Amino acid sequence: QVQPVESGGGLVQAGGSLRLSCAASGQTFSSAAMGWFRQAPGKERESVARINRDGDATYYADSVKGRFTISRDKSKNTVYLQMNNLKPEDTAVYYCSVLQGYYSGRPFGSWGQGTQVNVSS
């Protein structure tokens, strides 16, 4: 199973911004819906955002709606997560995944290393 590679995390103050990137292989990327997930210490992994194969439909968790934007660039085989107005509760390891389907939002379950996001208050 293909493992996307995440990058772009870091330490930022509350109210700041970060842009995460997820690189995936060409064939997988072009034919699949993609999603971003996160896992905070002591908590289960949760869905944050997803985007369909064509990039014209997106879905966000209520906790990030209006602050995060998911997008994809097929020419670069990359999915992005622009995160604005970050809050301390956004602190987590962020992962991306190929999805079984856009509407289900279920990941295939092959996870990469993720990228750590720390938001200080």
Side-chain angles (χ1 to χ4, degrees):
Q1 185 66 47
V2 172
Q3 287 187 341
V5 178
E6 305 92 346
S7 63
L11 173 64
V12 63
Q13 289 187 332
S17 299
L18 284 173
R19 188 176 80 156
L20 307 183
S21 298
C22 169
S25 66
Q27 185 174 5
T28 299
F29 180 88
S30 64
S31 63
M34 300 289 294
W36 281 98
F37 298 78
R38 67 186 181 187
Q39 187 167 21
K43 295 187 177 181
E44 293 187 354
R45 192 168 351 227
E46 62 174 354
S47 174
V48 174
R50 60 182 183 257
I51 188 166
N52 70 345
R53 178 187 61 185
D54 296 329
D56 57 4
T58 57
Y59 178 84
Y60 299 93
D62 288 343
S63 58
V64 307
K65 199 173 295 182
R67 300 188 297 121
F68 290 11
T69 302
I70 188 171
S71 62
R72 66 193 301 166
D73 185 337
K74 289 191 173 183
S75 68
K76 297 181 179 179
N77 294 337
T78 301
V79 176
Y80 301 100
L81 186 67
Q82 177 67 43
M83 306 187 296
N84 298 327
N85 190 22
L86 282 160
K87 303 176 180 181
E89 51 263 43
D90 295 318
T91 294
V93 179
Y94 283 72
Y95 303 87
C96 68
S97 177
V98 178
L99 301 180
Q100 296 180 35
Y102 171 74
Y103 292 103
S104 72
R106 285 192 295 268
F108 275 106
S110 179
W111 302 103
Q113 294 293 318
T115 185
Q116 178 72 49
V117 172
N118 290 305
V119 185
S120 63
S121 57

